[in-house]
Amino acid sequence: CRRQLLPCDGGFFTQTEHLRERLPDGMKSPSMKPFYITTAIDYTNAPPHIGHAYEKVLADVMARFQRLNGREVYFLTGVDQHGQKVQKSAEKAGQSPAEFVDGVTKHFTALWDKLNVRFDGWAATTDDRHKRVVRAMLQKLHDCGQLYKKSYSGFYSVRQEQFLTDKERGPDGQYGEEWGEVVELEEENWYFRLSDHVEWLKGHIRSHPDFIYPPHRANDVLNSLEGTPQDLCISRPIERLSWGIPLPFDERFVNYVWFDALSNYITFAGYMADECGNEGLPKFETIWPADAEIIGKDILVPAHAVYWPIMLHALGFPDDQIPKLVVHGWWNVKGAKMSKSLGNVIDPNVLSDTFTPDGLRYYLMRDIATGYDADFSDERIIMSYNKELAGGLGNLLNRSINMAQKYRSGVLTPGDYDDEINQALRQTVAEAVPAYLEKMSGWDIHEGIAAAWRI
């Protein structure tokens, strides 16, 4: 095959002619809809860390892979800018919530630019287009009886912004430190009839084994659905939380995080765009459902695997329009989860400055299996950069170019000579390309890298 080096944001890649002929059957159709990929939107109460970087690079790598294979792609990412934690952080900083989130958002956009994460759509929950759709969705659910108001008394996690039940208590009967400050609270709020749809969700999970990747995560979801299902509180009184989207049918309340943040996956894909007068968005019917919504395992249950599909179901989305969830693990440090209190948070900006953006991207993809946890290692990132990228790929490329210039004036032509070494190389390449395609298509990114390295 003839090969051509093509410029790509942040480096070069080799495109091989006839590559598309070797694609898995499910990726060949020229009439196939665009590949729609999203990530979780990042909460703007603190700057990004290595976990944020991993998720966005993972999505960007898959988007590039799909484009290289001739697939049109719509890649959406963004920021979650509303909520009580943002309001409190802004007050502490002596700023308005709008000023505060704008400042934090710049940290995220600067990092994505630095790491060459090239998204097509940007989701910001303060965008007026998003607000209009969220209000229209809430009104639709209210009109069909899916929302109701009641008073509730219970224990409330200030950090997680939610009421807690006995299921969240530890073995000692206390709420764990992951919930932060827990206070007893009684207030009136609006609720979504989540419990009406739990049996549907159980059936959907069992009948759609590709709904969640990796598949074993589906058991976590089914286990969370055992017991008596409860309805979902979707509002906060405006006197307690003013930084949010007012409910269209009761403006004494603002929408709580779920219908605001989770809805970004459809609002910025063009859902209800005509009804809401939104412009500059894709045609919803041409790109939905999302082929992959990439999220961390900590927000799988209940947000993305329970609330989100049930929200869509209640809005009238058919089963084949429920998007696929790709669930990634955590980057730990010596087996411990990164946290500010432990002082072990890894700054991707520092790593990028040390190892270059491409060096960091490569390490993040090669050293973790998608869906599982991994330990960040200074030694391993140094090894991957020095031995594999510089000493392996860089050295091979440098020697090849120098020899081609020195002995062939930079022009290579076919020759008649052949031997066992040439035959073995051709066989290696012939086997590596389909193996690479298969692994990448199945989200085994580290195995796809290994297949490419065999060449």
Side-chain angles (χ1 to χ4, degrees):
C1 293
R2 291 186 291 116
R3 295 177 181 84
Q4 179 184 15
L5 284 177
L6 300 176
C8 182
D9 295 324
F12 289 88
F13 59 82
T14 302
Q15 184 182 51
T16 305
E17 289 188 359
H18 310 305
L19 185 62
R20 295 177 202 171
E21 295 176 10
R22 305 172 116 165
L23 291 176
D25 290 340
M27 298 176 64
K28 290 181 181 178
S29 172
S31 61
M32 188 179 294
K33 81 171 189 65
F35 188 87
Y36 178 27
I37 184 169
T38 77
T39 72
I41 54 175
D42 300 312
Y43 202 39
T44 50
N45 69 325
H49 55 65
I50 195 71
H52 296 108
Y54 168 69
E55 181 175 283
K56 304 309 181 284
V57 169
L58 174 61
D60 186 62
V61 164
M62 181 54 70
R64 289 170 185 255
F65 171 71
Q66 296 292 339
R67 290 190 185 105
L68 180 61
N69 288 332
R71 186 97 176 258
E72 186 181 349
V73 173
Y74 185 66
F75 171 18
L76 177 73
T77 191
V79 282
D80 178 7
Q81 298 170 305
H82 288 132
Q84 195 168 29
K85 283 185 284 188
V86 166
Q87 182 172 292
K88 288 195 170 186
S89 297
E91 291 171 356
K92 187 176 180 181
Q95 295 178 300
S96 70
E99 290 172 328
F100 181 81
V101 296
D102 283 348
V104 177
T105 297
K106 288 176 182 176
H107 290 292
F108 285 94
T109 54
L111 181 61
W112 307 152
D113 186 60
K114 188 175 188 177
L115 295 182
N116 296 306
V117 173
R118 299 293 183 237
F119 47 84
D120 303 290
W122 180 253
T125 54
T126 53
D127 190 314
D128 287 337
R129 297 174 299 178
H130 173 72
K131 294 178 184 178
R132 285 192 287 267
V133 174
V134 169
R135 284 170 62 87
M137 289 166 51
L138 290 167
Q139 188 67 59
K140 180 178 179 180
L141 291 171
H142 177 267
D143 293 346
C144 64
Q146 286 292 310
L147 304 179
Y148 66 94
K149 189 163 61 172
K150 74 171 184 177
S151 182
Y152 181 82
S153 176
F155 291 94
Y156 183 80
S157 166
V158 177
R159 175 186 293 173
Q160 300 298 338
E161 303 181 40
Q162 70 181 72
F163 281 100
L164 306 178
T165 67
D166 287 341
K167 289 174 63 176
E168 279 81 40
R169 292 184 188 272
D172 59 356
Q174 302 298 311
Y175 294 108
E177 63 178 20
E178 69 271 19
W179 300 110
E181 180 187 4
V182 176
V183 297
E184 196 165 5
L185 194 65
E186 181 177 2
E187 67 183 16
E188 192 175 45
N189 270 306
W190 283 89
Y191 286 77
F192 168 52
R193 298 186 187 279
L194 187 85
S195 57
D196 289 357
H197 308 275
V198 167
E199 289 305 314
W200 165 82
L201 179 59
K202 291 179 181 178
H204 181 79
I205 293 171
R206 293 183 178 118
S207 61
H208 293 78
D210 59 344
F211 169 45
I212 300 173
Y213 177 89
H216 72 267
R217 293 289 182 197
N219 291 328
D220 298 337
V221 183
L222 289 171
N223 290 337
S224 76
L225 296 173
E226 293 301 320
T228 304
Q230 294 190 344
D231 289 341
L232 177 65
C233 180
I234 58 99
S235 73
R236 294 292 182 266
I238 201 163
E239 61 266 17
R240 186 157 72 83
L241 176 62
S242 59
W243 183 239
I245 302 174
L247 301 185
F249 44 83
D250 191 344
E251 301 216 352
R252 295 173 299 164
F253 297 84
V254 297
N255 178 228
Y256 172 54
V257 60
W258 308 121
F259 276 89
D260 183 355
L262 291 170
S263 298
N264 90 89
Y265 305 125
I266 55 177
T267 59
F268 291 97
Y271 180 63
M272 299 184 78
D274 292 339
E275 299 94 315
C276 296
N278 289 344
E279 297 180 349
L281 296 170
K283 292 284 187 183
F284 186 69
E285 63 274 11
T286 66
I287 69 169
W288 188 260
D291 296 85
E293 292 184 350
I294 302 179
I295 59 168
K297 67 177 185 179
D298 54 327
I299 56 174
L300 173 66
V301 178
H304 283 82
V306 180
Y307 300 161
W308 179 225
I310 286 180
M311 285 164 55
L312 293 173
H313 179 67
L315 285 165
F317 284 70
D319 284 15
D320 62 358
Q321 295 287 303
I322 306 299
K324 177 176 179 175
L325 303 176
V326 176
V327 188
H328 65 77
W330 287 336
W331 280 96
N332 298 321
V333 179
K334 296 180 180 178
K337 183 184 177 183
M338 284 185 287
S339 72
K340 291 179 183 178
S341 60
L342 294 175
N344 62 354
V345 175
I346 305 296
D347 187 345
N349 279 290
V350 174
L351 291 177
S352 179
D353 290 340
T354 304
F355 297 101
T356 75
D358 280 343
L360 176 57
R361 287 170 61 103
Y362 174 72
Y363 169 75
L364 291 175
M365 294 299 100
R366 77 173 292 284
D367 224 35
I368 189 171
T370 309
Y372 298 86
D373 292 351
D375 252 10
F376 176 82
S377 166
D378 291 320
E379 294 79 10
R380 288 182 68 81
I381 191 171
I382 291 170
M383 183 275 292
S384 71
Y385 184 80
N386 288 340
K387 184 177 179 181
E388 297 180 6
L389 292 183
L393 180 62
N395 190 39
L396 171 63
L397 180 62
N398 187 56
R399 289 187 179 209
S400 300
I401 291 175
N402 287 341
M403 291 175 69
Q405 293 289 348
K406 183 175 180 179
Y407 299 110
R408 291 293 182 267
S409 299
V411 179
L412 301 183
T413 56
D416 296 329
Y417 180 78
D418 200 9
D419 62 9
E420 291 183 358
I421 294 177
N422 282 303
Q423 293 165 17
L425 176 58
R426 287 199 300 274
Q427 181 66 23
T428 297
V429 174
E431 293 172 352
V433 172
Y436 166 80
L437 289 168
E438 178 185 0
K439 296 300 182 182
M440 291 292 291
S441 300
W443 291 94
D444 290 327
I445 310 297
H446 68 300
E447 293 288 356
I449 291 172
W453 269 112
R454 294 191 191 108
I455 298 175

